[in-house]
Amino acid sequence: GIVHRDLKPENVLMSDNSENAVLKIIDFGLSKIIGNDEKCSEPYGTLSYVAPEVLQEKPYNKKVDIWTLGIMSWKKKKNNEWPYNFTK
């Protein structure tokens, strides 16, 4: 599969403004094709959307993109509010 490694709202587009619009993911410049059991170690991604294991420079897999989707969903639901405090 593919791990995108830089999902963020700017990299998610809709095909049009209709209710049947298709979601499109763009900018695969930092993406990598990896196997089911394979891990990555490069610290890529946009700081405010990246998963903790990437920030901690631990090996990671495709699940880091799921973390990012969670952050983006939270922000959408909470009127653009972050789920964590950047000032601490």
Side-chain angles (χ1 to χ4, degrees):
I2 297 174
V3 57
H4 189 281
R5 303 196 292 189
D6 197 27
L7 286 175
K8 54 188 170 188
E10 296 85 353
N11 289 340
V12 179
L13 305 175
M14 301 303 289
S15 61
D16 56 55
N17 290 328
S18 74
E19 287 185 21
N20 298 321
V22 176
L23 182 125
K24 307 269 185 168
I25 297 174
I26 63 168
D27 191 1
F28 286 82
L30 296 177
S31 67
K32 185 175 184 178
I33 296 173
I34 62 172
N36 288 336
D37 298 323
E38 195 173 348
K39 303 262 184 180
C40 300
S41 59
E42 305 87 1
Y44 292 149
T46 300
L47 186 59
S48 50
Y49 291 96
V50 74
E53 53 267 46
V54 177
L55 291 175
Q56 296 166 354
E57 297 187 30
K58 294 181 178 178
Y60 60 88
N61 58 21
K62 296 176 273 190
K63 293 179 183 177
V64 296
D65 288 342
I66 302 301
W67 167 273
T68 302
L69 290 173
I71 297 296
M72 292 187 331
S73 297
W74 174 277
K75 285 190 70 185
K76 180 73 174 166
K77 184 174 174 73
K78 297 290 186 170
N79 207 16
N80 213 30
E81 182 181 304
W82 291 100
Y84 38 77
N85 187 343
F86 282 112
T87 60
K88 290 185 179 180

